[in-house]
Amino acid sequence: DGGITQSPKYLFRKEGQNVTLSCEQNLNHDAMYWYRQDPGQGLRLIYYSQIVNDFQKGDIAEGYSVSREKKESFPLTVTSAQKNPTAFYLCASSIATGGYGYTFGSGTRLTVV
Amino acid sequence: AQSVTQLGSHVSVSEGALVLLRCNYSSSVPPYLFWYVQYPNQGLQLLLKYTTGATLVKGINGFEAEFKKSETSFHLTKPSAHMSDAAEYFCAVSHGTGGFKTIFGAGTRLFVKA
């Protein structure tokens, strides 16, 4: 079955450490997205990519970086510059055009220890 | 600019009662509207969507929503709540070409009492 796989499901980060969250899709979708979810704040867009080798900053990109070297993959790195990284991170994909909606992964919960 | 407002961060209903989750949007162009459901520690799942055509749209699990342009609303309803409907629900809006910059509401948590 097609879908989006996020790994790991839980991740612990020490202060000053960079960590990378994986997101892989086999839906042949052109567009991919990273959202951060905090209680009571809904979803906030970190980065999105419409096509391979291209990505755009979302509303809260500071302290994060991404790459899009393959259509299937859109990893997110949480850098040490992100001062409050504890959150639930969601990856999504969509057909680039039209109102098809998003397909989401099951999320990665990142905790700073 | 687009925005989404979900009225009520928490809604509680009894099992078998009507579910009504409210969503109002703001958009300068014809919108695409969505409802998603999220169960604890999981991703979001698309419940239903409005793009064009019939303003009453039916989704999965017995949910439906009606697009009312004059009221800029897209409220989600289900005639009879089930315990398994307890989850968080998100309304979202996008427009035109592409799903880019979809704006999500803050979410409404639905509690279902036995």
Side-chain angles (χ1 to χ4, degrees), chain A residues 5-12 19-23 34-37 46 76 78 85-91 105-111, chain B residues 38 41-43:
Chain A
T5 301
Q6 289 189 243
S7 62
K9 190 168 181 65
Y10 298 96
L11 185 58
F12 297 91
V19 291
T20 297
L21 284 60
S22 172
C23 177
W34 275 105
Y35 284 90
R36 170 177 172 146
Q37 186 176 25
I46 304 172
L76 174 74
V78 184
T86 295
F88 191 51
Y89 290 87
L90 288 162
C91 180
S106 58
T108 293
R109 186 165 298 279
L110 174 63
T111 304
Chain B
Q38 184 181 34
N41 292 312
Q42 294 187 26

Side-chain angles (χ1 to χ4, degrees), chain A residues 68-99:
Chain A
R68 187 87 186 275
E69 298 176 359
K70 299 186 299 182
K71 187 175 186 178
E72 303 79 15
S73 179
F74 191 42
L76 174 74
T77 296
V78 184
T79 75
S80 57
Q82 171 50 240
K83 296 308 179 187
N84 184 24
T86 295
F88 191 51
Y89 290 87
L90 288 162
C91 180
S93 70
S94 70
I95 297 172
T97 59

Side-chain angles (χ1 to χ4, degrees), chain B residues 45-96:
Chain B
Q45 180 184 8
L46 183 64
L47 269 180
L48 50 78
K49 63 185 180 186
Y50 168 80
T51 53
T52 59
T55 57
L56 181 63
V57 293
K58 296 184 183 299
I60 61 173
N61 301 338
F63 284 93
E64 61 183 37
E66 186 171 11
F67 170 57
K68 292 187 176 181
K69 184 178 179 180
S70 61
E71 298 177 8
T72 62
S73 69
F74 191 57
H75 302 331
L76 181 71
T77 61
K78 182 174 180 177
S80 177
H82 191 273
M83 296 296 289
S84 61
D85 294 326
E88 189 152 22
Y89 293 80
F90 292 91
C91 183
V93 61
S94 68
H95 68 86

Side-chain angles (χ1 to χ4, degrees), chain A residues 38-103:
Chain A
D38 297 282
Q41 295 193 45
L43 279 69
R44 292 184 290 168
L45 183 63
I46 304 172
Y47 269 97
Y48 64 99
S49 169
Q50 302 175 27
I51 196 169
V52 174
N53 292 322
D54 184 62
F55 48 82
Q56 307 295 328
K57 292 182 179 180
D59 301 317
I60 57 165
E62 185 174 353
Y64 300 97
S65 65
V66 294
S67 63
R68 187 87 186 275
E69 298 176 359
K70 299 186 299 182
K71 187 175 186 178
E72 303 79 15
S73 179
F74 191 42
L76 174 74
T77 296
V78 184
T79 75
S80 57
Q82 171 50 240
K83 296 308 179 187
N84 184 24
T86 295
F88 191 51
Y89 290 87
L90 288 162
C91 180
S93 70
S94 70
I95 297 172
T97 59
Y100 293 96
Y102 290 179
T103 300

